[in-house]
Amino acid sequence: MELLDPIPSTRAPVDLFTGEVWFDVVAAPPAPARLRANLVRFAPGARTHWHRHPGGQSLHVTQGLARIGTRDGRVVEARPGETVWCPPGEWHWHGAGRDAFTEHLALWEHDGVDAEWGDAVSDREYDAPTTEDPR
Ligand code: MN
């Protein structure tokens, strides 16, 4: 086994995220493992750009109130302890609510690429009313 050196917290790239977002790498083991886990912290109103993951992604909320949206206009809110599953290839975004810092654990498999990225999420898309409970 190997006790890994700590990795400093990293500011998420400004060309892929809106607002201030920081992440800590929780797990990124070498091949043949494909496991990836990041603890992501969003300032109020901050969110990812539109993107999709080849193998899908689980988002497990640990603090605050997360907002997750998809291309069909659905926006769900998820609370600490709740998990949202984004299926392989589904365009989506995730971030904080307007009023509070939000933290989630992002879990996915690295299969050559982590994500394909698109446009920024507009305020209109971000502020859309929630449509349903994720469960
Ligand atoms: Mn994602």
Side-chain angles (χ1 to χ4, degrees):
M1 65 177 152
E2 181 183 358
L3 178 60
L4 302 173
D5 291 331
I7 300 172
S9 296
T10 302
R11 174 91 194 258
V14 295
D15 56 332
L16 300 178
F17 291 77
T18 298
E20 194 149 354
V21 181
W22 289 75
F23 67 89
D24 289 300
V25 175
V26 174
R34 294 185 294 187
L35 176 69
R36 292 293 182 271
N38 280 358
L39 189 60
V40 190
R41 297 181 172 97
F42 298 87
R47 66 267 191 181
T48 68
H49 285 194
W50 285 102
H51 65 284
R52 57 181 178 174
H53 308 280
Q57 185 177 54
S58 292
L59 300 168
H60 181 77
V61 181
T62 45
Q63 288 190 57
L65 182 65
R67 292 175 71 80
I68 300 100
T70 50
R71 286 285 193 207
D72 56 8
R74 293 171 59 210
V75 176
V76 298
E77 290 182 335
R79 291 169 174 72
E82 295 182 321
T83 300
V84 175
W85 166 241
C86 300
E90 181 176 67
W91 287 95
H92 68 279
W93 56 267
H94 31 113
R98 277 283 180 205
D99 301 326
F101 281 83
T102 296
E103 178 188 86
H104 68 46
L105 194 58
L107 305 144
W108 74 100
E109 286 190 295
H110 176 79
D111 190 14
V113 296
D114 295 303
E116 175 186 353
W117 292 89
D119 293 338
V121 174
S122 69
D123 284 344
R124 183 192 177 95
E125 291 167 327
Y126 174 77
D127 288 318
T130 55
T131 43
E132 61 185 274
D133 192 277
R135 287 151 299 186

